[in-house]
Amino acid sequence: MSVQQDLLREAAQKESLARDFDGYVKELADVFNGIPTTPERSAAVWKGQAADRYTAQGRQLHLEIVNLGESCAATARNLRRRAQQLREEAAQARESP
């Protein structure tokens, strides 16, 4: 296999992995969709100190999920950036004698 083909194959793999991370971001966004994480929304289920603990933990988990989603999105961007660099290297390898 040529250097150019290796570079293009690696770029394609990085693009595929970036798409996977984009999918994870979308899935993570749905994790808390519909789950009551405020006292007003959880009042029908949780009361008193249990409600306070529930909403505090729900808010914390929600923040962690948001941070994880942002990390996944950043990873996807970085993978795409590296894939573009590899394609550019492959183009230069093609032009070299």
Side-chain angles (χ1 to χ4, degrees):
M1 208 176 242
S2 74
V3 170
Q4 178 189 11
Q5 290 172 326
D6 287 342
L7 291 169
L8 291 174
R9 180 180 44 76
E10 188 177 344
Q13 289 171 337
K14 292 199 183 315
E15 286 287 347
S16 176
L17 191 53
R19 282 190 298 276
D20 289 343
F21 274 95
D22 286 338
Y24 300 149
V25 171
K26 290 176 185 162
E27 289 174 20
L28 286 169
D30 291 337
V31 167
F32 275 90
N33 192 14
I35 296 175
T37 57
T38 64
E40 299 79 24
R41 291 183 64 208
S42 65
V45 179
W46 297 100
K47 304 281 185 213
Q49 290 179 340
D52 295 340
R53 284 191 304 274
Y54 173 82
T55 55
Q57 187 174 27
R59 283 191 302 271
Q60 180 61 37
L61 289 173
H62 178 67
L63 289 174
E64 290 173 14
I65 294 295
V66 167
N67 289 337
L68 183 57
E70 289 171 358
S71 293
C72 287
T75 299
R77 285 190 303 273
N78 290 337
L79 285 164
R80 286 194 174 90
R81 188 174 16 255
R82 181 62 183 138
Q84 181 58 37
Q85 291 170 345
L86 290 166
R87 284 191 293 273
E88 290 169 4
E89 290 175 29
Q92 290 174 354
R94 184 177 342 137
E95 295 168 2
S96 299

